[in-house]
DNA sequence: GCAATCGTCAACCATTTGGTTGAATATGGG
DNA sequence: CCCATATTCAACCAAATGGTTGACGATTGC
């Protein structure tokens, strides 16, 4: 209970399905059903994942009509990013690296059956 | 099983005790017993936490004599940092922010009873 | 109005997680 | 050698996690 913001953020990011969802939302806002479409799990499971992401502040959900739109809230990553960079004091990061990651992650995260 | 590197990293970081341990190791290498000292949980519990951090590559453990030394491996954070920054494209991060975080985290992570 | 669509809720289940305790395995020192 | 120290192992436990299914409440459109 009452886990810290960092707890929630890192825990949310620890699941590959949730990271894949964030990657999808990076391209465009999506309805819950559309988020669920590429995954092999039930809509209810995706709905739970989205609730976890929303609770961590990583996405915002807005209901318009019967459709609930999900959009990325990248600012929520800043706190965690601050935390991590404080340790590493890394050189600047290049987009290439990030895109390589996304490619590797998406190549498998959408076929997880359990 | 066979969780990805990012899975392991983020999952390891999701626990406040483990983040507190990393913060401690930021200042100096430490023996397992000394790592455990400020916490209210058993040595075995800390030993498990350290194993999780080591498995995620966030620390290295080297046994010299009967003492097992733990040291930070900040490079392991780079992959996760790359991932996160790709989303946020944040402005440069200042050490002040990080230190503020550490202060807030340490002010409570060592009194968690369960 | 009524059926179809969108999404969540509730109950359930298996597995993982984070902790405990007590015994066991090094290792070091008098 | 024998005892203390340092750490892990093994068994156990409660609670959390990630999934399922079926029923349910909203909303839309014919």
């Amino acid at each position: 209970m009452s886990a810290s913001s960092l707890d929630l953020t890192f825990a949310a990011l620890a699941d590959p399905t949730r990271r894949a969802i964030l990657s999808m939302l990076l391209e465009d806002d999506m309805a819950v059903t559309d988020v669920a479409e590429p995954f092999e799990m039930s809509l209810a499971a995706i709905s739970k994942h989205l609730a976890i992401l929303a609770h961590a502040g990583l996405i915002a959900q807005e209901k318009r009509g019967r459709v609930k739109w999900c959009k990325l809230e990248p600012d929520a990553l800043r706190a965690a990013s601050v935390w991590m960079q404080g340790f590493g004091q890394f050189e600047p990061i290049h987009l290439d690296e990030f895109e390589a990651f996304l490619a590797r992650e998406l190549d498998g995260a959408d076929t997880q059956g359990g």
Side-chain angles (χ1 to χ4, degrees), chain A residues 15-93:
Chain A
D15 185 282
T17 300
R18 288 193 290 265
R19 288 198 309 276
I21 290 173
L22 292 178
S23 302
M24 291 164 62
L25 293 177
L26 194 56
E27 302 185 34
D28 213 347
D29 298 356
M30 296 178 80
V32 173
T33 307
D34 297 326
V35 169
E37 198 266 330
F39 296 95
E40 284 185 347
M41 67 189 71
S42 69
L43 182 60
I46 295 295
S47 179
K48 284 190 195 178
H49 280 304
L50 289 169
I52 290 169
L53 289 169
H55 189 222
L58 292 167
I59 67 169
Q61 292 183 292
E62 184 197 355
K63 192 160 185 181
R64 284 206 294 273
R66 65 183 162 184
V67 175
K68 198 166 187 176
W69 293 91
C70 307
K71 82 165 191 233
L72 205 59
E73 289 282 329
D75 283 359
L77 285 168
R78 178 171 177 86
S81 199
V82 166
W83 193 91
M84 293 182 54
Q85 289 213 57
F87 280 93
Q89 291 304 301
F90 305 124
E91 326 142 31
I93 279 159

